[in-house]
Amino acid sequence: MDFRPSHRAQTIKSSPIFSISAKAAALRAEGRDVIDLSAGEPDFDTPAHIKAAAIEAINAGFTKYTPVDGTPELKRAVIDKFARENSLSYTGEQILVSCGCKHSIYNLMQAMLDPGDEVIIPAPYWVSYPDMVRLADAAPVIIKTDVERAFKIAPEQLRGVLGEKTRMIVFNSPGNPSGASYTPAEYKALGAVLAEFPDVIVVSDDIYEHIQWTGRPFGNILNAVPALHNRTVVVNGVSKAYAMTGWRIGYAAGPQKIIQAMHKIQSQSTSNAASIAQVAATAALNGDQSVLAKHCQAFKERHDYVLTRLRALPGVDVVPADGTFYAFPDMGEFIQRRKDLGNDVKLADHLLERANVAVVPGSAFGAPGCIRLSYATGLETLEKALDRIAAALT
Ligand code: GLU
């Protein structure tokens, strides 16, 4: 029997984030006191009113298939959310509910990419974008940024990679793993370049929308450049904002033709997202929103703490983030000094072995020399983790 995986399965790797958090969990199961700062998952519980809505749905027998694109109630809640929070207007045909924002992006790439197509991805990027592009037989084209450029791409960099083969560009702001966010003026400058390429689909991954402290209201590229409306797909979900990672509800909004193609892919794969989780997500979007500011405030406090601690370490270059719950220090100078550690992958291994702290190496995000620490965990744990990191690095 030949168990050779398909060429698609062979061209990609497992998500390094989940591989590292699985390793941390395995070590903990063996009795090791490992602090896991790998996966980005809010430590807060899902708010009580959201859980209550789901329990009620189960008891009422709301446990069957729903329409592929989501329940009418959740789609309405998504449309209202876009109008209320983002000043964006959509019809029901322009919305697709999926099993997490990750699934929305996957559907989009499966629906719109062909062999030979290129997708522009600014680095550092969320680990799954390039492999999702490869799974659609297309090619990721990476634009490099670094800590000096606050991890943001410049218009001339964008102009340099746009071409006949470009089919799509992905924006994620505030961004995972850098925490950087684009200003409206920066978006306008990038939008001016994109205006020369009217066939390029723009993806705005807004999943960290509610975790930002820029001092200005959240705005994506579509808010800054409304002319992109006919070719922008906005993806978002309830995971990060409402501490609902396990419920797996995300959604996409965009031109009807794109959404229809994504709908077709989803109808032949997962069908609808879980009926019960959809009721919970409806309660999240329609209910009390005070939890958003509360969570954001906690993340900001943790950000400030982690930043101060990282800045005190020798050879570590770190800039304040605008949002998310990740710190992304550049460890280049430190690695140079400690030749035995060689690179960010070895450094992450060293931190796991010596400090019992799990972090993700920057290479996974297209930024070798950096490491990512998730601070979606309590201050007490962070203090312990940073004490251990400091001891292992000095
Ligand atoms: N997006 C989160 C992270 O970057 C969760 C894991 C994932 O889906 O990649 O840690």
Side-chain angles (χ1 to χ4, degrees), residues 89-270:
S89 152
Y90 293 104
T91 63
E93 294 73 36
Q94 294 177 305
I95 304 288
L96 176 69
V97 172
S98 301
C99 312
C101 185
K102 194 173 194 169
H103 186 214
S104 304
I105 302 165
Y106 180 82
N107 280 338
L108 173 61
M109 296 196 172
Q110 289 295 316
M112 301 310 292
L113 299 178
D114 276 319
D117 287 344
E118 292 182 351
V119 177
I120 298 174
I121 302 174
Y125 45 72
W126 175 48
V127 298
S128 294
Y129 296 141
D131 274 345
M132 284 189 191
V133 171
R134 292 186 189 102
L135 278 174
D137 289 326
V141 172
I142 309 299
I143 305 181
K144 293 240 176 233
T145 67
D146 53 29
V147 72
E148 268 91 53
R149 282 180 275 194
F151 294 116
K152 291 194 265 190
I153 59 166
E156 54 279 11
Q157 284 183 294
L158 177 59
R159 185 68 192 78
V161 293
L162 278 160
E164 259 171 38
K165 291 184 183 162
T166 312
R167 181 73 169 133
M168 199 179 272
I169 177 163
V170 182
F171 288 103
N172 173 220
S173 164
N176 175 7
S178 69
S181 107
Y182 288 88
T183 64
E186 287 165 341
Y187 271 143
K188 281 195 174 88
L190 295 169
V193 178
L194 287 169
E196 296 169 46
F197 295 82
D199 294 327
V200 172
I201 296 166
V202 178
V203 184
S204 182
D205 178 351
D206 293 0
I207 194 73
Y208 296 97
E209 166 184 14
H210 289 296
I211 307 165
Q212 56 121 24
W213 37 83
T214 56
R216 52 175 191 274
F218 172 82
N220 59 24
I221 189 160
L222 199 44
N223 297 125
V225 192
L228 293 173
H229 196 259
N230 64 349
R231 54 178 166 129
T232 299
V233 179
V234 178
V235 293
N236 205 332
V238 293
S239 295
K240 314 290 190 198
Y242 301 95
M244 291 178 70
T245 45
W247 300 79
R248 309 310 301 134
I249 295 291
Y251 48 86
Q256 193 173 333
K257 278 202 169 150
I258 299 182
I259 296 295
Q260 258 170 5
M262 293 167 65
H263 181 290
K264 207 156 42 159
I265 301 278
Q266 184 164 308
S267 79
Q268 295 289 22
S269 50
T270 62

Side-chain angles (χ1 to χ4, degrees), residues 16-17 19-28 30 32-38 341 344-361 371 385 388-389 392-393:
I17 295 169
S19 304
I20 293 169
S21 71
K23 191 169 170 190
L27 290 173
R28 270 208 306 268
E30 282 170 17
R32 258 183 52 191
D33 172 26
V34 171
I35 300 177
D36 187 5
L37 304 185
S38 62
L341 293 178
D344 56 298
V345 177
K346 285 190 185 160
L347 174 61
D349 282 347
H350 174 78
L351 289 177
L352 187 56
E353 288 314 314
R354 293 288 165 80
N356 276 325
V357 178
V359 302
V360 186
I371 55 169
R388 289 184 187 181
I389 292 175
L393 295 190

Side-chain angles (χ1 to χ4, degrees), residues 4-12 134-137:
R4 181 174 39 94
S6 68
H7 80 275
R8 284 181 305 282
Q10 287 187 52
T11 31
I12 63 158
R134 292 186 189 102
L135 278 174
D137 289 326

